[in-house]
Amino acid sequence: MHTILHGTGIEHELSIIRAASTPMNEFRQAMYRIGLHLAVEVSKHLPHEERTVTTPLTTTKAHVVSGEIVLIPVLRAGLGLLDAFLHIMPSAKVGFEGLRRNEESLIAEEYYSNLPSANASTTFIVLDPMIATGGSLSTTLTKLTALPHTAIIAAGVIAAPEGLATIERNHPRAHVIVGALDDHLNDVGYIVPGLGDAGDRLFGTE
Ligand code: PRP
Ligand code: URA
């Protein structure tokens, strides 16, 4: 299952991060604002339970988030979304999954992992801005699926149709929420039109 964000606000921010002329600091800020759009959308799909709240006037029923949330930014580029998600979900725990795509084989290789303990009420939210072949996200989802949880949601900024198809084939129960679905992958595994290398643009590397 997937959801693609729509509307002028998110499209405006995407136009900033897509432009090759956008400097690193403005790229980071727009990525943060896109993270807010994504986090609000993800928050609509969190498991919840009913509570009775006493207002100054009466009591009323309210829905509150149930269980614990664990955010998993996929290093490095997922860090660009983390602060925004923590603003919307301040009680979330954070785990880290370090994956580097081998630029020849396009296979994601793990170089770091540090995940908090999980239980049957845990909702994992994976932050991976670019879903290109889908290999990095798929590797992460496979790892999380083996842990106790109640739901897994993935948030991305731009997906390629090929990557989304891979996730939906390998992980049909995961909900993927993205800012845009682009046209295709080029022959070196970059999303077109895309934005280039998200990690490099966020952190000034090449
Ligand atoms: C990028 C990006 C995704 C991955 C997507 O990471 O941040 O995690 O590629 O590609 P895929 O869907 O084909 O796996 P990269 O390996 O470049 O590392 P970085 O974030 O450290 O730059
Ligand atoms: N990773 C990126 O950062 N960009 C792409 O287009 C593909 C993978």
Side-chain angles (χ1 to χ4, degrees):
M1 173 183 178
H2 68 264
T3 301
I4 301 165
L5 301 191
H6 291 288
T8 308
I10 180 77
E11 287 173 22
H12 179 92
E13 303 302 349
L14 286 165
S15 77
I16 295 172
I17 61 170
R18 284 188 190 283
S21 58
T22 299
M24 184 182 65
N25 61 340
E26 290 172 25
F27 184 94
R28 274 190 200 143
Q29 289 162 8
M31 183 67 91
Y32 171 79
R33 294 191 296 273
I34 290 170
L36 292 177
H37 285 275
L38 287 167
V40 167
E41 183 60 34
V42 168
S43 73
K44 297 176 190 172
H45 304 278
L46 294 174
H48 59 268
E49 61 195 35
E50 200 167 85
R51 289 267 171 82
T52 300
V53 173
T54 305
T55 78
L57 306 179
T58 184
T59 60
T60 188
K61 301 271 190 238
H63 283 152
V64 299
V65 174
S66 62
E68 64 170 20
I69 296 171
V70 177
L71 301 172
I72 316 274
V74 177
L75 306 180
R76 294 173 300 165
L79 291 175
L81 298 173
L82 180 61
D83 281 354
F85 272 75
L86 284 171
H87 261 105
I88 303 296
M89 303 167 192
S91 302
K93 295 180 179 174
V94 182
F96 296 92
E97 190 60 24
L99 294 175
R100 187 180 298 108
R101 198 171 73 149
N102 180 310
E103 291 302 337
E104 271 155 32
S105 67
L106 298 184
I107 293 171
E109 295 161 359
E110 184 181 270
Y111 60 87
Y112 183 72
S113 183
N114 191 339
L115 306 179
S117 62
N119 59 56
S121 76
T122 298
T123 295
F124 289 115
I125 302 174
V126 182
L127 312 178
D128 190 2
M130 307 301 279
I131 305 172
T133 65
S136 303
L137 181 56
S138 199
T139 299
T140 306
L141 294 178
T142 299
K143 189 160 185 173
L144 298 179
T145 302
L147 302 176
H149 65 274
T150 185
I152 302 181
I153 304 173
V157 176
I158 299 179
E162 296 89 332
L164 214 45
T166 296
I167 302 303
E168 295 193 330
R169 190 172 56 248
N170 295 348
H171 300 283
R173 294 186 58 230
H175 185 173
V176 181
I177 296 175
V178 291
L181 179 60
D182 271 11
D183 197 54
H184 66 278
L185 282 185
N186 70 12
D187 57 4
V188 288
Y190 274 77
I191 301 174
V192 180
L195 52 74
D197 188 302
D200 285 349
R201 297 199 62 189
L202 270 170
F203 299 114
T205 50
E206 279 176 24

